[in-house]
Short mmCIF file of all heavy atoms in Angstrom, two decimals:
data_model
loop_
_atom_site.label_atom_id
_atom_site.label_comp_id
_atom_site.label_asym_id
_atom_site.label_seq_id
_atom_site.Cartn_x
_atom_site.Cartn_y
_atom_site.Cartn_z
N ARG A 20 103.20 114.36 55.89
CA ARG A 20 104.03 113.73 54.85
C ARG A 20 104.78 114.71 54.03
O ARG A 20 105.96 114.61 53.71
CB ARG A 20 103.22 112.78 54.00
CG ARG A 20 102.60 111.58 54.70
CD ARG A 20 102.22 110.45 53.75
NE ARG A 20 101.47 109.40 54.43
CZ ARG A 20 102.01 108.45 55.14
NH1 ARG A 20 103.35 108.43 55.33
NH2 ARG A 20 101.29 107.50 55.75
N ASN A 21 104.08 115.81 53.68
CA ASN A 21 104.68 116.86 52.78
C ASN A 21 105.75 117.58 53.45
O ASN A 21 106.64 118.19 52.81
CB ASN A 21 103.58 117.82 52.31
CG ASN A 21 102.63 117.17 51.30
OD1 ASN A 21 103.05 116.20 50.66
ND2 ASN A 21 101.43 117.70 51.18
N ILE A 22 105.79 117.66 54.84
CA ILE A 22 106.92 118.33 55.48
C ILE A 22 107.81 117.32 56.13
O ILE A 22 108.53 117.64 57.13
CB ILE A 22 106.37 119.37 56.49
CG1 ILE A 22 105.57 118.72 57.56
CG2 ILE A 22 105.56 120.47 55.81
CD1 ILE A 22 105.08 119.69 58.75
N ASN A 23 107.79 116.06 55.67
CA ASN A 23 108.71 115.06 56.10
C ASN A 23 108.61 114.73 57.59
O ASN A 23 109.68 114.55 58.31
CB ASN A 23 110.18 115.41 55.74
CG ASN A 23 110.39 115.63 54.26
OD1 ASN A 23 109.66 115.03 53.47
ND2 ASN A 23 111.34 116.50 53.86
N LEU A 24 107.43 114.63 58.11
CA LEU A 24 107.21 114.29 59.52
C LEU A 24 106.38 113.00 59.62
O LEU A 24 105.49 112.88 60.41
CB LEU A 24 106.56 115.44 60.31
CG LEU A 24 107.35 116.61 60.65
CD1 LEU A 24 106.53 117.70 61.36
CD2 LEU A 24 108.59 116.21 61.52
N GLU A 25 106.78 112.01 58.86
CA GLU A 25 106.15 110.71 58.89
C GLU A 25 106.13 110.08 60.26
O GLU A 25 105.15 109.41 60.61
CB GLU A 25 106.74 109.70 57.87
CG GLU A 25 106.42 110.00 56.40
CD GLU A 25 107.37 111.03 55.79
OE1 GLU A 25 108.18 111.58 56.56
OE2 GLU A 25 107.22 111.29 54.57
N ASP A 26 107.18 110.31 61.03
CA ASP A 26 107.25 109.71 62.31
C ASP A 26 106.31 110.31 63.34
O ASP A 26 106.11 109.79 64.45
CB ASP A 26 108.71 109.83 62.90
CG ASP A 26 109.17 111.25 63.04
OD1 ASP A 26 108.58 112.14 62.38
OD2 ASP A 26 110.10 111.49 63.80
N GLN A 27 105.63 111.41 62.97
CA GLN A 27 104.62 112.02 63.85
C GLN A 27 103.17 111.64 63.53
O GLN A 27 102.24 112.02 64.21
CB GLN A 27 104.75 113.61 63.73
CG GLN A 27 106.09 114.17 64.18
CD GLN A 27 106.27 113.93 65.64
OE1 GLN A 27 105.44 114.21 66.51
NE2 GLN A 27 107.47 113.42 66.01
N ILE A 28 103.06 110.87 62.43
CA ILE A 28 101.67 110.62 61.96
C ILE A 28 100.89 109.79 62.88
O ILE A 28 99.72 110.03 63.16
CB ILE A 28 101.71 109.90 60.55
CG1 ILE A 28 102.23 110.96 59.53
CG2 ILE A 28 100.37 109.45 60.11
CD1 ILE A 28 102.44 110.46 58.14
N GLN A 29 101.52 108.69 63.42
CA GLN A 29 100.74 107.86 64.42
C GLN A 29 100.24 108.57 65.59
O GLN A 29 99.04 108.47 65.97
CB GLN A 29 101.65 106.66 64.87
CG GLN A 29 100.89 105.61 65.72
CD GLN A 29 99.75 104.96 65.02
OE1 GLN A 29 99.95 104.19 64.13
NE2 GLN A 29 98.53 105.19 65.42
N SER A 30 101.03 109.32 66.22
CA SER A 30 100.58 110.12 67.39
C SER A 30 99.48 111.18 67.02
O SER A 30 98.56 111.43 67.71
CB SER A 30 101.71 110.82 68.10
OG SER A 30 102.39 111.73 67.23
N ALA A 31 99.69 111.77 65.77
CA ALA A 31 98.69 112.75 65.31
C ALA A 31 97.33 112.07 65.02
O ALA A 31 96.33 112.61 65.42
CB ALA A 31 99.22 113.41 64.01
N VAL A 32 97.39 110.89 64.42
CA VAL A 32 96.13 110.13 64.15
C VAL A 32 95.48 109.77 65.44
O VAL A 32 94.25 109.84 65.60
CB VAL A 32 96.45 108.90 63.31
CG1 VAL A 32 95.32 107.95 63.33
CG2 VAL A 32 96.74 109.32 61.84
N ASN A 33 96.23 109.26 66.38
CA ASN A 33 95.66 108.94 67.76
C ASN A 33 94.99 110.17 68.42
O ASN A 33 93.85 110.02 68.91
CB ASN A 33 96.76 108.39 68.64
CG ASN A 33 97.17 107.00 68.29
OD1 ASN A 33 96.48 106.28 67.55
ND2 ASN A 33 98.35 106.56 68.80
N ASP A 34 95.68 111.26 68.42
CA ASP A 34 95.09 112.51 69.03
C ASP A 34 93.89 112.89 68.33
O ASP A 34 92.88 113.32 68.99
CB ASP A 34 96.15 113.59 69.05
CG ASP A 34 97.29 113.39 70.04
OD1 ASP A 34 96.99 112.70 71.05
OD2 ASP A 34 98.38 113.91 69.90
N TYR A 35 93.90 112.88 66.97
CA TYR A 35 92.73 113.31 66.23
C TYR A 35 91.55 112.41 66.53
O TYR A 35 90.44 112.90 66.81
CB TYR A 35 93.04 113.28 64.72
CG TYR A 35 91.91 113.62 63.86
CD1 TYR A 35 91.64 114.96 63.51
CD2 TYR A 35 91.07 112.58 63.29
CE1 TYR A 35 90.56 115.27 62.64
CE2 TYR A 35 89.97 112.95 62.45
CZ TYR A 35 89.78 114.28 62.15
OH TYR A 35 88.76 114.58 61.32
N TYR A 36 91.76 111.10 66.56
CA TYR A 36 90.70 110.16 66.77
C TYR A 36 90.15 110.27 68.20
O TYR A 36 88.92 110.31 68.35
CB TYR A 36 91.27 108.73 66.61
CG TYR A 36 90.32 107.57 66.81
CD1 TYR A 36 89.20 107.44 66.04
CD2 TYR A 36 90.53 106.63 67.84
CE1 TYR A 36 88.34 106.39 66.18
CE2 TYR A 36 89.67 105.55 68.00
CZ TYR A 36 88.57 105.50 67.19
OH TYR A 36 87.65 104.44 67.34
N ARG A 37 91.03 110.42 69.18
CA ARG A 37 90.53 110.58 70.57
C ARG A 37 89.75 111.89 70.74
O ARG A 37 88.76 111.90 71.46
CB ARG A 37 91.75 110.59 71.50
CG ARG A 37 92.51 109.26 71.55
CD ARG A 37 93.91 109.44 72.12
NE ARG A 37 94.61 108.13 72.06
CZ ARG A 37 95.90 107.96 72.31
NH1 ARG A 37 96.64 109.13 72.56
NH2 ARG A 37 96.50 106.82 72.25
N THR A 38 90.23 112.90 70.07
CA THR A 38 89.47 114.24 70.15
C THR A 38 88.13 114.11 69.55
O THR A 38 87.10 114.67 70.05
CB THR A 38 90.34 115.31 69.43
OG1 THR A 38 91.56 115.45 70.13
CG2 THR A 38 89.63 116.68 69.43
N GLN A 39 88.02 113.49 68.38
CA GLN A 39 86.72 113.39 67.68
C GLN A 39 85.76 112.65 68.54
O GLN A 39 84.53 112.98 68.64
CB GLN A 39 86.90 112.70 66.31
CG GLN A 39 87.72 113.52 65.32
CD GLN A 39 87.08 114.87 65.03
OE1 GLN A 39 85.95 115.03 64.77
NE2 GLN A 39 87.97 115.90 65.05
N LYS A 40 86.20 111.54 69.17
CA LYS A 40 85.29 110.75 69.97
C LYS A 40 84.84 111.49 71.27
O LYS A 40 83.74 111.46 71.65
CB LYS A 40 85.97 109.40 70.44
CG LYS A 40 86.27 108.48 69.23
CD LYS A 40 86.58 107.07 69.78
CE LYS A 40 85.37 106.36 70.28
NZ LYS A 40 85.62 104.88 70.59
N THR A 41 85.82 112.26 71.83
CA THR A 41 85.45 113.08 72.97
C THR A 41 84.53 114.14 72.64
O THR A 41 83.53 114.40 73.36
CB THR A 41 86.76 113.67 73.59
OG1 THR A 41 87.67 112.68 73.91
CG2 THR A 41 86.45 114.52 74.81
N ALA A 42 84.70 114.81 71.49
CA ALA A 42 83.84 115.89 71.06
C ALA A 42 82.41 115.40 70.81
O ALA A 42 81.44 116.02 71.19
CB ALA A 42 84.38 116.55 69.82
N LEU A 43 82.32 114.20 70.15
CA LEU A 43 81.00 113.60 69.91
C LEU A 43 80.28 113.24 71.25
O LEU A 43 79.14 113.54 71.42
CB LEU A 43 81.17 112.30 69.06
CG LEU A 43 79.89 111.52 68.74
CD1 LEU A 43 78.90 112.44 67.96
CD2 LEU A 43 80.23 110.29 67.95
N PHE A 44 81.05 112.70 72.16
CA PHE A 44 80.52 112.37 73.47
C PHE A 44 79.98 113.56 74.18
O PHE A 44 78.85 113.53 74.71
CB PHE A 44 81.60 111.67 74.31
CG PHE A 44 81.24 111.41 75.75
CD1 PHE A 44 80.48 110.27 76.08
CD2 PHE A 44 81.64 112.27 76.73
CE1 PHE A 44 80.11 110.05 77.41
CE2 PHE A 44 81.25 111.98 78.08
CZ PHE A 44 80.50 110.92 78.41
N LEU A 45 80.77 114.65 74.19
CA LEU A 45 80.35 115.87 74.87
C LEU A 45 79.20 116.57 74.21
O LEU A 45 78.32 117.15 74.88
CB LEU A 45 81.55 116.81 75.07
CG LEU A 45 82.62 116.34 76.04
CD1 LEU A 45 83.84 117.21 75.95
CD2 LEU A 45 82.04 116.35 77.46
N THR A 46 79.21 116.53 72.80
CA THR A 46 78.12 117.17 72.11
C THR A 46 76.77 116.49 72.48
O THR A 46 75.72 117.14 72.53
CB THR A 46 78.38 117.07 70.57
OG1 THR A 46 79.64 117.75 70.32
CG2 THR A 46 77.24 117.72 69.85
N GLU A 47 76.80 115.18 72.65
CA GLU A 47 75.59 114.46 72.94
C GLU A 47 75.12 114.73 74.38
O GLU A 47 73.96 114.53 74.70
CB GLU A 47 75.84 112.96 72.78
CG GLU A 47 76.05 112.60 71.31
CD GLU A 47 76.36 111.08 71.18
OE1 GLU A 47 76.76 110.47 72.20
OE2 GLU A 47 76.30 110.53 70.00
N ASN A 48 76.05 115.17 75.27
CA ASN A 48 75.72 115.32 76.72
C ASN A 48 75.72 116.71 77.22
O ASN A 48 75.36 116.96 78.37
CB ASN A 48 76.69 114.48 77.56
CG ASN A 48 76.51 113.00 77.33
OD1 ASN A 48 75.61 112.38 77.89
ND2 ASN A 48 77.37 112.35 76.52
N ASP A 49 76.11 117.67 76.40
CA ASP A 49 76.16 119.06 76.78
C ASP A 49 75.66 119.93 75.68
O ASP A 49 76.30 120.09 74.61
CB ASP A 49 77.63 119.45 77.16
CG ASP A 49 77.81 120.91 77.65
OD1 ASP A 49 76.81 121.66 77.55
OD2 ASP A 49 78.84 121.20 78.21
N THR A 50 74.56 120.62 75.87
CA THR A 50 73.90 121.42 74.93
C THR A 50 74.75 122.55 74.34
O THR A 50 74.70 122.91 73.21
CB THR A 50 72.59 122.01 75.51
OG1 THR A 50 71.76 121.03 76.11
CG2 THR A 50 71.80 122.79 74.44
N PHE A 51 75.64 123.07 75.24
CA PHE A 51 76.40 124.26 74.85
C PHE A 51 77.83 123.86 74.33
O PHE A 51 78.58 124.75 73.90
CB PHE A 51 76.60 125.20 76.04
CG PHE A 51 75.30 125.61 76.61
CD1 PHE A 51 74.76 125.06 77.82
CD2 PHE A 51 74.47 126.60 75.97
CE1 PHE A 51 73.57 125.44 78.28
CE2 PHE A 51 73.24 127.00 76.48
CZ PHE A 51 72.79 126.45 77.64
#
C-alpha cells in the first residue's frame, strides 16, 4: 500500500497463504 501497489495485494496474499500452508505441510512431513 505504501508504494501504491494495491492491485498486487490479492496475488501477494494468495502466494503468502499458499506458501505458509505448504511450509507447514512439509515441516510436518520432512525432518530437515
Side-chain angles (χ1 to χ4, degrees):
R20 293 199 188 282
N21 288 338
I22 61 173
N23 301 333
L24 283 179
E25 285 85 355
D26 60 339
Q27 296 296 310
I28 292 177
Q29 183 63 68
S30 60
V32 163
N33 286 342
D34 287 335
Y35 178 86
Y36 180 61
R37 295 162 184 169
T38 298
Q39 295 301 313
K40 293 195 73 171
T41 302
L43 179 60
F44 173 82
L45 289 171
T46 300
E47 292 174 345
N48 291 281
D49 183 348
T50 306
F51 304 104

